[in-house]
Amino acid sequence: MQRRLRIAVPYFVMGLAVIVSTGVIFETPRWAIWFLFAVLFVLLEFFAVEVNDRQFQSSSIMVVMTAGVIFAIKSDATFAMALMAAMAMLTPLDLKERRWFQPMANFGQLALSGAVAGFILDANLGLLEGTVGTTDLVRVAVASTLAAAAYVTVNNLLVHRAVRTVYPNDNLHPWSQMHVLLGGQAAMGLLGGLIGAAYLIADRPAILVLFVGVYGIGHMSLYAFSQLRASHLGAIRGFVKTLEAKDMYTRGHTERVAYFAQLIGEELAFTGTQLETVKWAALIHDLGKLAVPTELIRKKGRLDDGEYDEMKSHAHLVEEILAEVDFLQPMVDIASGHHSHYDGNGYGGRGHKEGHTPSLEACIVAVADSFDAMTSARSYRMALSQQYALAELRRHAGGQFHPDVVDAFERALAKTGRRWGARHSNDEEMARRLAEEPELTLRG
Amino acid sequence: MAEWSPRATAALSWSFPVLALAMGGLSATQAASTPLYMLVASLGLILASMVGVATSDSGNRLTTGIAVASAIPVVFSGGYGVDTAGALACYGFGMAGLWAIRHFSGERHEELLPTMLRRLGGYIAYVMVYSAMRVGVLTDLSGGWEDLIPFFGAVAAWLGVEVVLRALLILGPRELSRAYLARALIQDLNVFVGLALTGALFGELFLALGWWALPIALLPYSFAHAAFKRFQETKVTYKQTIRALARIPEVSGLGVDGHADRTTALATSIAKELGLGPHQVEALEFAGLMHDIGRVSLNEPQILKMGYTDDDIARWSAEIIAESPYLDKVALDVRRQYEPYRKPGQQDDPEISIISRIIKVAAAYDWRVHLEGDTPLSALETLHAGAAYEYDPEVVASLRRLLQTRGILSRPVRV
């Protein structure tokens, strides 16, 4: 709470100060046009589309830049943009969860971002003194690109700072990757600025309508795309649930492995796409088991050689099942290598090469899978404690497991503060006896 | 339309470029625009028509040519109103050129001719309505909101002509119903309208900014284009995934090899023949692929001991599908496909969707022909015999028409 106040109050006061001072210094915009753009801006912020893991494609920056260029040329942009940006302080999630901290902090950081961007536009385009021609388009393009980049950077830095202060334990990697977004956002800003200038040069409202039309259709398609993607993921999750229904002991296993894999990936500073790939790979890693006879999966005690071979086939089967899904091939490679060992032993399908270290992603899924196998109950033994499981991972680091991955996992797990596995740590002797089943890690 | 012989089709097809060139030439003599502009516009139309846009698998092949065609009359206007003749000249030359390129790259006349006629028909409707409304509503483009009235009116006319021609112009063997063809375009309406709007945007910008209009109009379009593409790619992937997952029983030796794939292919054809909309066809594909996925439970020791019925498989399949949050409708269709299409003493059971009925017929046909070794004719007769209660007679009739079109049944079957 105190940490939150330490950010929320200064941010909010800063926002107010920015708006009041710019309001005094700079000219106010024509309110009718400002209002039109502000409504559009808030709407786009509300319907931001998630295009990649946690990265939102928001077209709103384009609208702000269009408005900014128009104001910078006609009057002043600094105050108008600060006020407009601050309108985006509320998100649907804030309303749903009735949060107070995020809107307050966002108000401040957005007002400052908007003011900085507006000031850059004013400094560059103020000289035009109200008129703009086609010869000025290059100047407009440069100014709006710069302004958009400044907007994103200030926004990014302030959010980063707030998150680091309030959630010191949280993983900051998703936010530290915002530079990836910078290029896209700057391009959006450029586009928005050009539209604004084109509107002024041509003095044609029809252009704005047509532009919003084309863009709106694109945005709708992107929205449909994100829905479809969610549905695709949902279908795979559904099938995985079916798989787990076969064995009460592995219920929830896949979702947990995906969660652990994501923790490790974030700790290792994976980008959005890499992170997605690992998560999907973790979700499908046991799909091959759907094709393995149920009594084998549930069997108590040792498997004979034939049964063991059949059990091992599940790593290959995932390849066969998903062979025709092009998109999933990188994930299938990882999944089929999740029983490969760091030192080149183990078994697996395409992703496993005898004597070679499997891919980093496969090592991640292997660690996540083994950890969950140890910390949850099995038909042949009780759940082990987290302490024991981590010790076991460390003991085999460099052999079965990738040492960097084990390190990263320990760090990430410590940051979450959650505990997995048996509450009471078994005494060493007991735990070892329970765990000394040969299939321990193979049956994950 | 009766079926045309290949020679007649070829002759008809060859007359297209001749007539299009004639139309172009005649219009060009009346045009107010300069020959250079018309040349650039015609070449632009040809080039843009070769760039496809990702659309759904409805069979629509939309190209960026739509944007160029929509831009031409907007650009070709001035104080005198719209240069209708100039625009018609560009359409004529452009489509003749496009016909030549597509013909010499090996496209068959049965497909080429209807596509070309449809496109040209749509373009002509568009420019005619646009010119007429410009005369009626406004003479000069001021760039105000009212500019958009003739444009939207003309796009509506264009779309109407496209839909009608799409349903009417079918050469060669006909498996798809007219209703399906007409509805298929509606599914890609967003792409179509997006392209037409881009064209108008370019036109409006061009009047004010000259060639600066090109990059500025391309920017929002490229965003929309990328969105269409991602959507389409995800759709393909999704279908591949469902198909792959549906094969799990087969991979583990519990299913029937190829049954789900064949049933789905046949069911989809029946649905298109019956004139279902593209969305329904899609739902049907999913349901068809997964209708036997419940067989994955057949290695449960308990089930093997207790025995099971086909009804159990339908139920298990539905239960598995229902685990996916977005597929609950598909689960219902799969659950119902095992039930008879009507209850005893009732005309119809409205709870059994058309999708369930089609899958029931297609699956039964495939089972008889491919697993029990029946001839297509006797399989169809079995279905006919069950038409009083089990199988929807309309679906069975559609299957019969389909098999006749494909030449699988040489003579009409009598009930």
Side-chain angles (χ1 to χ4, degrees):
Chain A
M1 185 63 162
Q2 218 180 0
R3 282 209 194 103
R4 292 182 173 215
L5 281 176
R6 237 167 55 207
I7 284 291
V9 173
Y11 269 45
F12 190 75
V13 171
M14 173 184 74
L16 279 181
V18 165
I19 285 176
V20 171
S21 59
T22 53
V24 172
I25 302 169
F26 294 93
E27 267 182 69
T28 51
R30 257 180 67 193
W31 289 109
I33 293 186
W34 184 89
F35 190 73
L36 202 75
F37 278 108
V39 168
L40 198 60
F41 171 67
V42 171
L43 275 180
L44 283 178
E45 275 284 330
F46 252 72
F47 292 101
V49 175
E50 189 181 356
V51 286
N52 210 333
D53 189 49
R54 288 199 214 170
Q55 293 177 355
F56 282 83
Q57 160 95 38
S58 163
S59 320
S60 56
I61 189 161
M62 194 175 60
V63 177
V64 181
M65 288 301 148
T66 306
V69 166
I70 293 174
F71 296 138
I73 293 171
K74 284 291 171 196
S75 52
D76 276 331
T78 310
F79 169 64
M81 282 181 78
L83 196 59
M84 193 181 289
M87 303 292 292
M89 60 190 257
L90 275 179
T91 64
L93 206 60
D94 295 332
L95 293 178
K96 215 170 93 189
E97 299 184 359
R98 294 168 191 269
R99 309 196 287 201
W100 59 272
F101 161 69
Q102 284 85 349
M104 268 180 85
N106 279 333
F107 171 77
Q109 58 95 357
L110 286 169
L112 188 64
S113 312
V116 170
F119 188 73
I120 291 177
L121 289 180
D122 276 339
N124 282 286
L125 304 176
L127 332 158
L128 295 176
E129 287 170 358
T131 55
V132 58
T134 47
T135 47
D136 301 317
L137 280 176
V138 175
R139 177 191 286 272
V140 170
V142 173
S144 48
T145 309
L146 280 178
Y151 181 88
V152 178
T153 309
V154 174
N155 170 280
N156 195 351
L157 287 176
L158 290 174
V159 170
H160 192 268
R161 197 186 148 63
V163 173
R164 209 174 46 200
T165 312
V166 177
Y167 312 102
N169 294 329
D170 242 38
N171 205 307
L172 281 172
H173 291 301
W175 278 281
S176 61
Q177 283 158 20
M178 276 194 192
H179 63 268
V180 182
L181 288 181
L182 192 63
Q185 297 283 54
M188 288 284 222
L190 161 72
L191 172 56
L194 284 180
I195 297 300
Y199 163 74
L200 284 181
I201 298 172
D203 195 22
R204 286 166 173 264
I207 289 176
L208 277 187
V209 175
L210 291 170
F211 179 81
V212 170
V214 178
Y215 198 80
I217 285 173
H219 195 83
M220 271 159 52
S221 300
L222 206 60
Y223 192 75
F225 152 75
S226 72
Q227 300 283 95
L228 198 62
R229 208 181 57 142
S231 160
H232 185 200
L233 192 63
I236 292 196
R237 288 210 149 113
F239 277 90
V240 168
K241 262 193 200 166
T242 314
L243 156 76
E244 290 174 344
K246 281 181 146 191
D247 180 4
M248 60 176 286
Y249 288 107
T250 55
R251 202 160 290 166
H253 168 68
T254 307
E255 292 286 341
R256 284 194 302 271
V257 172
Y259 170 71
F260 295 140
Q262 180 163 356
L263 279 186
I264 303 173
E266 283 172 1
E267 186 62 34
L268 291 173
F270 274 24
T271 62
T273 316
Q274 276 178 304
L275 214 53
E276 284 258 307
T277 310
V278 172
K279 209 169 75 185
W280 282 77
L283 281 177
I284 61 171
H285 83 275
D286 265 350
L287 209 59
K289 276 197 187 156
L290 268 176
V292 174
T294 311
E295 71 258 26
L296 214 58
I297 295 178
R298 283 199 195 142
K299 184 170 178 182
K300 292 186 179 183
R302 263 179 183 283
L303 303 171
D304 65 37
D305 284 352
E307 289 172 330
Y308 185 58
D309 283 343
E310 204 167 348
M311 194 68 199
K312 284 207 304 198
S313 72
H314 84 268
H316 296 274
L317 281 170
V318 66
E319 287 170 17
E320 201 176 322
I321 292 171
L322 295 174
E324 282 169 44
V325 191
D326 307 328
F327 164 77
L328 287 176
Q329 289 318 302
M331 293 76 156
V332 170
D333 284 347
I334 298 169
S336 77
H338 81 275
H339 285 305
S340 293
H341 296 177
Y342 176 68
D343 58 14
N345 290 323
Y347 65 90
R350 223 163 49 205
H352 172 73
K353 285 192 196 72
E354 199 63 40
H356 290 271
T357 301
S359 69
L360 181 62
E361 285 87 349
C363 293
I364 292 176
V365 177
V367 166
D369 183 36
S370 304
F371 179 77
D372 188 66
M374 287 190 273
T375 52
S376 50
R378 283 290 182 268
S379 53
Y380 48 88
R381 63 149 170 76
M382 299 152 53
L384 305 170
S385 70
Q386 168 166 323
Q387 200 188 355
Y388 177 80
L390 284 178
E392 199 63 11
L393 288 179
R394 229 174 296 130
R395 200 158 71 90
H396 293 288
Q400 185 175 354
F401 303 115
H402 195 309
D404 297 349
V405 174
V406 174
D407 284 351
F409 184 48
E410 273 191 79
R411 284 198 305 272
L413 210 56
K415 283 183 196 167
T416 63
R418 287 183 69 182
R419 287 194 71 79
W420 301 86
R423 294 250 164 254
H424 314 288
S425 88
N426 307 309
D427 70 66
E428 190 75 357
E429 179 63 18
M430 173 77 171
R432 204 162 289 286
R433 238 185 40 226
L434 284 169
E436 228 106 89
E437 284 273 327
E439 297 87 2
L440 173 67
T441 44
L442 299 174
R443 298 189 51 168
Chain B
M1 192 186 286
E3 218 175 286
W4 292 77
S5 74
R7 287 187 57 152
T9 310
L12 214 60
S13 183
W14 270 99
S15 67
F16 176 84
V18 177
L19 289 174
L21 276 179
M23 180 186 95
L26 275 178
S27 309
T29 59
Q30 305 294 314
S33 308
T34 61
L36 180 67
Y37 264 64
M38 285 192 281
L39 181 71
V40 170
S42 307
L43 286 178
L45 185 60
I46 294 175
L47 286 178
S49 298
M50 295 195 292
V51 180
V53 181
T55 53
S56 62
D57 43 3
S58 52
N60 295 322
R61 270 209 323 206
L62 302 183
T63 67
T64 48
I66 292 170
V68 175
S70 121
I72 287 175
V74 184
V75 173
F76 281 21
S77 49
Y80 45 81
V82 185
D83 179 13
T84 316
L88 283 174
C90 297
Y91 293 152
F93 293 140
M95 295 315 277
L98 190 63
W99 183 92
I101 289 174
R102 286 176 64 167
H103 171 64
F104 291 111
S105 59
E107 194 165 330
R108 284 164 57 236
H109 286 301
E110 297 92 90
E111 282 164 21
L112 181 59
L113 181 61
T115 316
M116 286 298 167
L117 282 173
R118 210 167 64 211
R119 292 245 173 104
L120 190 59
Y123 295 165
I124 294 175
Y126 170 71
V127 69
M128 288 305 185
V129 173
Y130 186 75
S131 308
M133 285 183 77
R134 280 280 296 275
V135 172
V137 180
L138 75 168
T139 49
D140 194 7
L141 286 182
S142 62
W145 317 101
E146 65 279 4
D147 275 15
L148 300 169
I149 300 169
F151 170 72
F152 283 121
V155 169
W158 181 356
L159 206 59
V161 169
E162 270 266 356
V163 169
V164 170
L165 288 183
R166 192 175 272 267
L168 289 183
L169 295 172
I170 308 168
L171 303 172
R174 188 160 69 86
E175 274 196 8
L176 310 175
S177 71
R178 300 182 191 287
Y180 175 79
L181 286 167
R183 292 169 80 168
L185 181 65
I186 309 297
Q187 187 173 18
D188 294 319
L189 199 60
N190 59 340
V191 180
F192 184 92
V193 175
L195 284 165
L197 284 177
T198 304
L201 177 63
F202 170 81
E204 286 278 349
L205 285 167
F206 187 82
L207 294 179
L209 307 178
W211 285 105
W212 268 100
L214 196 60
I216 298 180
L218 272 181
L219 283 171
Y221 177 70
S222 52
F223 167 72
H225 191 91
F228 298 149
K229 208 170 143 225
R230 290 189 91 163
F231 179 75
Q232 217 33 58
E233 282 169 357
T234 311
K235 204 161 207 177
V236 171
T237 299
Y238 193 4
K239 217 170 269 175
Q240 284 174 342
T241 307
I242 293 295
R243 195 161 166 265
L245 294 173
R247 280 186 56 243
I248 290 176
E250 290 175 31
V251 170
S252 42
L254 302 168
V256 185
D257 280 346
H259 173 63
D261 270 351
R262 284 192 307 264
T263 301
T264 309
L266 186 61
T268 314
S269 300
I270 295 176
K272 289 178 178 172
E273 208 273 345
L274 281 171
L276 266 62
H279 286 295
Q280 274 176 301
V281 172
E282 210 159 76
L284 178 105
E285 266 188 276
F286 277 38
L289 285 173
M290 297 192 283
H291 82 278
D292 259 357
I293 189 131
R295 288 181 161 269
V296 78
S297 307
L298 292 185
N299 62 5
E300 294 272 337
Q302 236 162 338
I303 287 169
L304 290 174
K305 207 161 59 190
M306 309 277 284
Y308 59 91
T309 63
D310 287 353
D311 186 51
D312 288 330
I313 292 183
R315 204 184 62 240
W316 295 331
S317 301
E319 281 168 4
I320 292 174
I321 300 166
E323 288 287 346
S324 304
Y326 297 85
L327 296 179
D328 46 347
K329 269 211 178 109
V330 176
L332 198 64
D333 287 332
V334 168
R335 176 73 195 92
R336 298 277 186 196
Q337 51 90 20
Y338 187 71
E339 297 172 17
Y341 89 98
R342 66 186 178 114
K343 295 193 181 103
Q346 283 175 1
Q347 277 300 314
D348 197 23
D349 186 349
E351 281 190 19
I352 312 283
S353 72
I354 183 74
I355 293 176
S356 305
R357 297 169 189 213
I358 294 175
I359 290 175
K360 185 177 181 63
V361 169
Y365 176 82
D366 185 71
W367 193 272
R368 299 226 138 257
V369 172
H370 286 100
L371 292 147
E372 307 206 344
D374 281 12
T375 63
L377 189 65
S378 77
L380 198 60
E381 271 169 357
T382 314
L383 295 182
H384 267 302
Y389 172 59
E390 277 290 311
Y391 305 106
D392 187 333
E394 277 180 44
V395 178
V396 177
S398 164
L399 173 64
R400 190 187 57 212
R401 287 194 296 271
L402 205 63
L403 294 175
Q404 277 169 355
T405 313
R406 293 182 178 174
I408 294 172
L409 301 178
S410 41
R411 283 173 297 126
V413 187
R414 275 176 239 290
V415 180

